[in-house]
Amino acid sequence: MAKSSFINKIFNAGPLILLYYLCISEVDSNLEKIFEIFTLNFQIILIYFWVLKRPDIMANGHIFFAGLINDVVMGFPLGISSLSYLIVIFVGTYVRNKSVNTTIASDWFTFFLAMIFSNILFFSLLNNFSDLSFTYSKIGYNMFFTLFMFPIFWLLFNIYQMTFIGNRDA
Amino acid sequence: MSVSRDDFSIAFRSALLQRGGAQKFSVLSLIFLALIIFFLDVYGIKFTKPVRSFLNDVVYRVTFLASTPTRFFPQVGKDISSFFNVKEENERLKLELEKYKSLELNVEFLTDENKNLQKILETEYFNKNLSNIILAKVLVDKNSPFLKSIIINKGTRAGILKGMPVTKDNYLVGRVVETNYLSSRVLLLNDLNSRIPVTLNEGAQAILTGSGTNKPVLEYLPEDYEIVEDTNIFASGKDGIFTSGTPIGVTNTDGTVDLFIDPNQLSFVTVNLNVQYKGKL
C-alpha cells in the first residue's frame, strides 16, 4: 500500500520533474539543430495543460522557481521567464474557473490566448529592458510551432494522466 | 448583463488570488515578486550583482551535472563508430600528416617574413604572450532560438574579464559577455547580438553579423563588391577586442559565412587573457 502510494507520488510529480529538467538541463525543447526553423516553447505547453487539468500537481511556486532557473541558464534577465509562465498560469486558472467542460479545441484556442499574452509580455520586457535582440520571424516560428504542437502534447499528456495519475479533478 | 460581469470579475479575482491545496502562493503575489527580481536584476543594484553571480555559478554546475546523460549517450555512439573506423582514419591521418609537413615549411617561411615585416612597420607581434591563454571546458551549451551562447568553467578567479576573445584551435568562436567567479558566458559568433569587424582575403573590410542561424552574414561590404565563394574571413582587430588575423570562416556566394568551428560542437575553448574591450558590450 505504502509502495503504491510512493509510486503514485512519483507519477504525480512527473510533469513538475520534467519542467525542472527542461529548465535546468541542456536538453533542447527546440529542434533547431535538425530543422532550422523548428523551435518550440515546450515549457508553456506543459504548464498550461497541467494548470488546466490538474493544478494540484503543478504548484505556482515551483513554476515560478523553474522560471528563475530557466533565466539563469538562458542568460535572460532574472524573473522574465517566471513572469511569462505566471501569465500562462493566470489564463489557465481563469479558463478553468469559467468553464465546466473542456475539449481539445477549446483548450487549443485558450492556449493560443495564453501564449499570446505570455509572449507579448516576455518580448516587450526583453526589448525594452535588455540589450538582447531577436528577430520577429523567429518569434513567429516559435509561436506557430508551439501552437501547432499543442494538440499532440495534449493527447500525450492526457494519456499520461489517465494511465498514471487518474482522471480525478482537483 | 451585470451577472456576467460579476462572473468575469469573480473568475478574474479568483485566478489572481486563489490559494489553498498545493497552491501556497497566489499568482498575483508571485507576479509582484518576479517584477521586483526583474527590476533589481535589470538595473544592477550593487548587491544584486554578486547574488546573481553566485546563483549563476551554482545553477551552471547543476546544469552540467543534469546534462551528463544527454552528453554521455551520443559520445558512446561516436566512440563505437570511431572504433570501427580506426584503420580508415589511420590512413587518412597519414595522408594529412604528409600534407601538413609540406605546409609547415611554407608556414615557417611566412612566419619569418611576417615577423620581419612587422618589425619594419614597428607594430606589435600579436602572438608574443601565449602564456596568457587559458583552456576552459564548456559546461552548458543550451540551444536557444533567441540566444546563442555557451557557459565555460572559468571565471574571474582565472582572470577572465568581459570582452575577452574566445577561440578554439586558433579559430575565433566568440567573446565573453558575462563573468562570474567560477564561470563565464560566451556570446557565439552566430548570435543575433554579435557584430565583428572582419577583413576578407583581398583586404576588403566588413562586419560579420550573427543571424541566429549557424551561418553569420557579412554586412557593410564595399560598394559593388562581389563575393567570391570560399574566400577566407579573418578578424580585422579594428574593434580592439579580437586579435587581427584570427581566422573565422569562409564565404558563400549569398553573403553568409561557413564558420571554421561548428558552434554546436564545442567542448573545450581557449580564452585570450591579453585582450579586453573597455567599452560597453
Side-chain angles (χ1 to χ4, degrees):
Chain A
M1 190 69 177
K3 196 180 172 187
S4 77
S5 146
F6 175 74
I7 291 169
N8 281 345
K9 272 187 185 171
I10 298 276
F11 282 134
N12 280 358
L16 202 58
I17 292 169
L18 181 62
L19 178 68
Y20 272 122
Y21 191 70
L22 283 173
C23 289
I24 206 159
S25 73
E26 259 181 21
V27 173
D28 300 329
S29 51
N30 61 79
L31 302 174
E32 217 184 12
K33 284 174 191 170
I34 301 161
F35 178 38
E36 206 165 86
I37 59 168
F38 189 94
T39 69
L40 171 73
N41 195 340
F42 184 65
Q43 280 95 325
I44 64 166
I45 298 180
L46 187 73
I47 293 167
Y48 189 75
F49 179 88
W50 292 105
V51 163
L52 205 60
K53 301 289 175 190
R54 292 292 297 270
D56 54 320
I57 62 170
M58 203 51 122
N60 295 346
H62 281 296
I63 296 171
F64 170 81
F65 191 61
L68 289 183
I69 292 171
N70 190 54
D71 290 332
V72 173
V73 175
M74 303 300 268
F76 294 137
L78 272 186
I80 195 165
S81 296
S82 298
L83 271 171
S84 90
Y85 295 167
L86 288 167
I87 296 297
V88 174
I89 298 176
F90 169 67
V91 176
T93 316
Y94 177 77
V95 170
R96 189 181 158 78
N97 288 342
K98 284 289 275 182
S99 51
V100 180
N101 200 7
T102 57
T103 60
I104 189 168
S106 66
D107 285 353
W108 199 3
F109 177 70
T110 52
F111 171 73
F112 175 66
L113 296 179
M115 187 181 63
I116 290 274
F117 290 135
S118 147
N119 278 353
I120 286 174
L121 182 82
F122 183 86
F123 289 109
S124 53
L125 283 176
L126 211 57
N127 197 24
N128 289 309
F129 294 100
S130 82
D131 298 330
L132 300 173
S133 55
F134 42 85
T135 53
Y136 290 99
S137 61
K138 282 247 166 188
I139 300 170
Y141 287 136
N142 184 270
M143 285 174 71
F144 173 77
F145 285 115
T146 307
L147 187 67
F148 182 73
M149 296 300 283
F150 180 79
I152 296 165
F153 288 110
W154 190 94
L155 289 169
L156 291 175
F157 291 154
N158 245 338
I159 293 166
Y160 180 85
Q161 189 192 1
M162 284 193 238
T163 319
F164 300 114
I165 301 176
N167 215 7
R168 181 174 59 85
D169 221 44
Chain B
M1 191 69 178
S2 65
V3 173
S4 83
R5 205 181 304 143
D6 281 349
D7 276 355
F8 168 78
S9 63
I10 289 166
F12 194 86
R13 250 185 298 155
S14 169
L16 277 177
L17 303 170
Q18 200 173 40
R19 284 171 58 191
Q23 309 301 349
K24 295 201 169 47
F25 305 97
S26 69
V27 172
L28 189 67
S29 63
L30 290 174
I31 286 177
F32 275 123
L33 188 60
L35 279 172
I36 290 167
I37 292 172
F38 176 76
F39 284 112
L40 282 176
D41 190 40
V42 165
Y43 289 112
I45 295 165
K46 233 180 184 178
F47 77 91
T48 60
K49 279 187 180 169
V51 173
R52 167 99 203 212
S53 177
F54 175 75
L55 255 179
N56 287 352
D57 276 337
V58 172
V59 174
Y60 294 156
R61 251 70 189 172
V62 178
T63 303
F64 178 67
L65 287 176
S67 308
T68 309
T70 58
R71 246 184 258 125
F72 176 73
F73 292 111
Q75 190 56 43
V76 168
K78 269 186 205 168
D79 289 349
I80 290 170
S81 67
S82 69
F83 177 76
F84 288 110
N85 294 329
V86 166
K87 202 183 163 195
E88 270 176 39
E89 199 181 352
N90 190 24
E91 277 167 14
R92 189 177 54 81
L93 288 173
K94 271 182 186 168
L95 285 173
E96 265 185 34
L97 196 66
E98 288 301 316
K99 195 178 89 181
Y100 284 119
K101 269 182 187 169
S102 64
L103 281 174
E104 200 182 347
L105 293 169
N106 281 340
V107 170
E108 209 173 311
F109 168 74
L110 289 170
T111 311
D112 285 343
E113 191 184 53
N114 192 8
K115 274 184 191 171
N116 290 334
L117 288 170
Q118 290 203 35
K119 270 181 200 164
I120 292 164
L121 291 168
E122 289 179 342
T123 57
E124 197 180 348
Y125 184 53
F126 66 82
N127 257 350
K128 68 181 175 189
N129 202 354
L130 287 172
S131 62
N132 266 349
I133 289 175
I134 57 162
L135 184 71
K137 186 178 181 179
V138 177
L139 280 183
V140 184
D141 179 13
K142 186 153 179 163
N143 186 28
S144 152
F146 307 110
L147 199 67
K148 309 287 179 195
S149 62
I150 53 168
I151 312 293
I152 56 171
N153 72 339
K154 296 278 163 66
T156 47
R157 192 173 72 159
I160 292 182
L161 297 169
K162 259 189 183 182
M164 287 178 168
V166 179
T167 53
K168 189 193 172 192
D169 303 336
N170 288 329
Y171 297 125
L172 195 63
V173 168
R175 66 169 194 267
V176 177
V177 286
E178 173 198 288
T179 51
N180 308 303
Y181 187 61
L182 297 170
S183 58
S184 309
R185 184 179 290 274
V186 177
L187 190 78
L188 298 174
L189 295 179
N190 59 337
D191 185 272
L192 270 177
N193 300 281
S194 172
R195 303 277 185 281
I196 292 169
V198 292
T199 180
L200 282 77
N201 258 357
E202 316 86 19
Q205 304 289 319
I207 299 287
L208 185 71
T209 307
S211 59
T213 64
N214 277 352
K215 294 180 178 181
V217 185
L218 284 173
E219 286 181 349
Y220 306 109
L221 279 159
E223 268 182 46
D224 303 327
Y225 183 85
E226 272 191 32
I227 300 170
V228 181
E229 201 164 355
D230 288 337
T231 307
N232 284 318
I233 306 279
F234 305 93
S236 71
K238 288 197 169 177
D239 50 0
I241 307 177
F242 300 107
T243 314
S244 61
T246 313
I248 294 175
V250 288
T251 53
N252 295 312
T253 42
D254 59 354
T256 58
V257 172
D258 285 332
L259 298 171
F260 286 131
I261 296 292
D262 183 353
N264 295 321
Q265 301 290 326
L266 298 167
S267 42
F268 286 93
V269 290
T270 46
V271 185
N272 187 346
L273 303 182
N274 292 321
V275 194
Q276 191 212 350
Y277 184 59
K278 302 280 192 276
K280 189 176 179 261
L281 285 165

